[in-house]
Amino acid sequence: MKRLLLSAAAMLLVSNAPAPSGAPEYDIVIRGGRVLDGAGNPWVKADVAVKGGIIVRVGDVSGRGAKEIDARGRYVTPGFIDMMDQSGRVLLKNGGAENKLRMGVTTVIAGEGGTPVEAKDIPTYFDTLEKQGIAVNFGTYYSTMQARSKVLGDAAGTPTPAQMKVMEQEVETAMRAGVFGISTALVYSPSNFQSTADLVALAKVAGRCGGYYATHMRDEAAKLVPAIEEAIEIGEKGGVKVEIFHLKAGYRPGWGKLMPQAVQAIAAARARGVDVAADMYPYAAGGTGLDITVPTWVWAEGKAKGIERLKDPAVRARLKQEVAAGSQPDWSNFVEAAGGWDNVILANGHSDTYRQYHGQSIAAIGKALGKDPADAAWDILIGALPKRATALYFMMGEPDIELAMRQPWVSIGSDAGAAEVYGQVDGLGLPHPRAYGNHARVIAEYVKRRPVLTLEDAVRKMTSWPAERMGLSDRGLVRQGMRADLLVFDLAKVDDGASYEKPLASPTGFDDVIVNGVMAIDKGQITGARGGKVLRHSCS
């Protein structure tokens, strides 16, 4: 017996001994970094060991890694999660997502506009992404408009009970394929033709799978609070979690008033048990199509008919009056919200005719062309077809941005896609700095340049909180047993780089990025590895 005990002790000593120099014990060891676990705790000095795509040890690591990273003086955190990504289509063309990786993003949740395929084809879509390879982890929502368009196209109208049944079946098919829930973009036509009751019915289907209702709300300007209340109502009646996309008070006349009311409305709903939260991007300008400047009724019979109407001088005369009059019950007036055409900046006209005017206000373009600004905007819109002319709308005030960012239930989403070619515009064709600088800016601007957030909380908002929010129980923390999505960054060097004038500039500071235990960026160099996984929501 004594001999057996001695043998067991000898085996234990051998198993705990450092690995021989010729046989690495781990795939990666990050040495001596300031480890921020992602939960909001202060940093601790520790090593992090990775093997088989998993964090297997945090603390003093004696064994050697096949890859050793010297993190002394740098921070080690979980990889960032982009809660409002737009990469669902572009990743089929190029899975590299370099602009995401370079700002520390290792996981994206897409789908404001749904999936690029029908519900029945989502399993094949997911399989294709995995077979071709993606550099970031990817999850998505399914748009209610995808279901609606199967029975009503892009026109206004109320679905019949039979049509609603078809829509519900489409949502169920998508949920069982692994999407995280349903999404809406109710500020845009034809999505804004959907009623609250219709959305509640579809939410109930998603709710049976523990899904989410994620929404670009019906209004983010003068009627912000009623839009939040509608989203909460859909969540309560539908039995789903509610995610409010890019929370903002995008209405100059309401700066300092609307955001406190919005925060209060969400906090009150949470206090009574509604699982509602929001994400945001840290910029004063939103970016979207010029078509949002056209009142909703123009599109009631579909896009083709709407374009015909928009070419009619008599219709334009009426529209100009409506733009000047402000928002309507079924239309959020972005021109009013921005404070006029002077604060609407042409981003991409998709036309050689208007390329020289990129970066100029619609008011200035109208003056240069000898046109009313509205005519200039709508001519650019038509000239870009079949592509979508885009603009920047300077609608948000910094005090409101700071207030929203401080809320513990707010995470970070870019509202931008991966770039098919790094250094060019993202998959949306919208040159907005959020596509290249979004997550880096949270640290560079709101931690370093002004004390809005602590570094610990900024990291929490981009890691453990969104992971917890989306049910990603194996990501978002630097802890043993978690998936090895990791960043190593030099806080002193972190800068977002991208600006409205130079929206494609690269961020700095994120020199080592690991996705599922694979080096995606190594000493500042993109490796070309495709370590990402498709994240499928479980519907039992």
Side-chain angles (χ1 to χ4, degrees):
M1 178 63 71
K2 184 176 181 180
R3 181 174 298 175
L4 288 174
L5 289 173
L6 287 171
S7 298
M11 290 175 63
L12 184 62
L13 287 170
V14 169
S15 65
N16 288 334
S21 59
E25 186 175 346
Y26 306 106
D27 299 329
I28 301 171
V29 176
I30 304 171
R31 299 283 182 188
R34 299 176 179 180
V35 176
L36 282 171
D37 66 358
N41 294 313
W43 65 266
V44 296
K45 187 174 181 180
D47 305 327
V48 179
V50 174
K51 188 170 184 177
I54 304 295
I55 298 170
V56 294
R57 186 171 178 83
V58 180
D60 292 327
V61 176
S62 57
R64 188 169 66 87
K67 169 72 177 179
E68 293 269 337
I69 299 174
D70 183 357
R72 288 175 297 179
R74 296 191 290 165
Y75 287 88
V76 182
T77 75
F80 298 156
I81 298 173
D82 188 340
M83 283 288 278
M84 195 201 174
D85 170 75
Q86 300 279 9
S87 300
R89 189 176 300 276
V90 73
L91 288 179
L92 288 170
K93 301 177 181 179
N94 180 356
E98 183 173 346
N99 57 315
K100 299 288 181 174
L101 291 171
R102 287 199 177 277
M103 57 181 165
V105 170
T106 59
T107 296
V108 302
I109 306 298
E112 178 198 20
T115 59
V117 298
E118 294 185 22
K120 66 180 178 62
D121 296 322
I122 290 174
T124 300
Y125 165 61
F126 285 166
D127 289 345
T128 300
L129 287 175
E130 290 188 327
K131 288 176 183 177
Q132 292 182 176
I134 50 177
V136 293
N137 303 308
F138 174 84
T140 187
Y141 300 103
Y142 172 79
S143 171
T144 58
M145 266 308 300
Q146 293 180 263
R148 178 185 166 93
S149 65
K150 291 186 73 70
V151 295
L152 285 172
D154 63 353
T158 301
T160 65
Q163 289 173 327
M164 277 302 302
K165 184 68 174 177
V166 173
M167 293 164 63
E168 291 168 3
Q169 289 171 343
E170 290 295 308
V171 170
E172 182 171 358
T173 298
M175 291 301 304
R176 294 196 176 279
V179 302
F180 280 83
I182 56 173
S183 64
T184 59
L186 300 178
V187 75
Y188 302 116
S189 297
S191 187
N192 55 14
F193 299 137
Q194 299 173 100
S195 70
T196 304
D198 292 347
L199 295 174
V200 168
L202 297 180
K204 288 180 178 178
V205 179
R208 292 198 292 267
C209 289
Y212 299 73
Y213 171 68
T215 180
H216 182 154
M217 296 181 297
R218 210 173 288 274
D219 198 293
E220 297 169 321
K223 300 184 290 294
L224 171 63
V225 175
I228 289 173
E229 291 171 345
E230 180 191 32
I232 291 169
E233 178 185 353
I234 292 167
E236 283 190 289
K237 292 181 177 179
V240 289
K241 302 170 186 177
V242 178
E243 180 70 15
I244 294 173
F245 283 145
H246 47 53
L247 177 65
K248 64 173 73 74
Y251 188 64
R252 282 179 179 260
W255 285 1
K257 302 174 185 177
L258 286 173
M259 185 56 77
Q261 294 171 11
V263 168
Q264 183 179 16
I266 295 171
R270 289 184 60 83
R272 69 172 185 267
V274 182
D275 194 347
V276 54
D279 54 71
M280 66 178 294
Y281 50 75
Y283 295 92
T288 191
L290 278 173
D291 50 344
I292 196 66
T293 66
V294 181
T296 300
W297 67 266
V298 172
W299 312 109
E301 295 177 61
K303 183 177 180 179
K305 180 65 175 178
I307 295 299
E308 285 183 31
R309 286 173 171 159
L310 200 54
K311 293 177 180 178
D312 186 334
V315 171
R316 285 200 180 191
R318 172 184 168 183
L319 295 179
K320 291 171 190 175
Q321 292 178 345
E322 293 177 354
V323 170
S327 295
Q328 301 169 8
D330 62 348
W331 175 57
S332 181
N333 186 338
F334 274 39
V335 181
E336 176 195 29
W341 291 107
D342 286 305
N343 298 314
V344 180
I345 309 300
L346 179 63
N348 194 344
H350 293 289
S351 167
D352 291 338
T353 302
Y354 299 108
R355 190 179 310 279
Q356 62 183 310
Y357 299 111
H358 289 178
Q360 297 185 34
S361 73
I362 298 297
I365 297 169
K367 184 176 181 179
L369 297 174
K371 298 179 179 180
D372 184 285
D375 285 319
W378 299 334
D379 287 348
I380 293 170
L381 185 163
I382 292 170
L385 295 173
K387 295 184 177 181
R388 189 184 188 206
T390 56
L392 304 178
Y393 299 80
F394 284 82
M395 304 181 293
M396 285 79 81
E398 280 295 338
D400 290 335
I401 293 173
E402 292 182 7
L403 176 61
M405 192 171 291
R406 288 190 181 103
Q407 303 313 306
W409 35 262
V410 168
S411 58
I412 305 300
S414 69
D415 195 11
E420 184 177 353
V421 178
Y422 189 74
Q424 297 183 12
V425 295
D426 72 341
L428 294 179
L430 174 60
H432 189 297
R434 63 195 183 197
Y436 279 74
N438 193 75
H439 285 65
R441 180 173 171 81
V442 172
I443 294 176
E445 182 67 26
Y446 295 93
V447 173
K448 291 174 60 177
R449 291 195 278 267
R450 43 181 148 151
V452 176
L453 300 174
T454 64
L455 179 61
E456 292 85 354
D457 198 35
V459 170
R460 182 191 68 85
K461 284 178 173 293
M462 297 188 285
T463 58
S464 70
W465 167 235
E468 178 74 14
R469 177 78 179 135
M470 299 307 298
L472 305 177
S473 59
D474 57 350
R475 300 182 192 274
L477 292 167
V478 183
R479 288 185 185 165
Q480 185 173 328
M482 304 295 282
R483 298 280 181 179
D485 296 338
L486 296 163
L487 308 180
V488 183
F489 63 84
D490 186 333
L491 181 61
K493 295 180 180 178
V494 170
D495 191 29
D496 42 320
S499 64
Y500 297 113
E501 295 74 26
K502 296 181 178 179
L504 309 180
S506 297
T508 56
F510 300 100
D511 291 331
D512 294 287
V513 180
I514 300 168
V515 181
N516 292 310
V518 177
M519 297 297 303
I521 299 180
D522 187 354
K523 297 179 180 178
Q525 299 299 311
I526 290 288
T527 67
R530 298 291 190 265
K533 305 293 184 183
V534 171
L535 306 176
R536 294 171 174 84
H537 179 74
S538 176
C539 179
S540 56

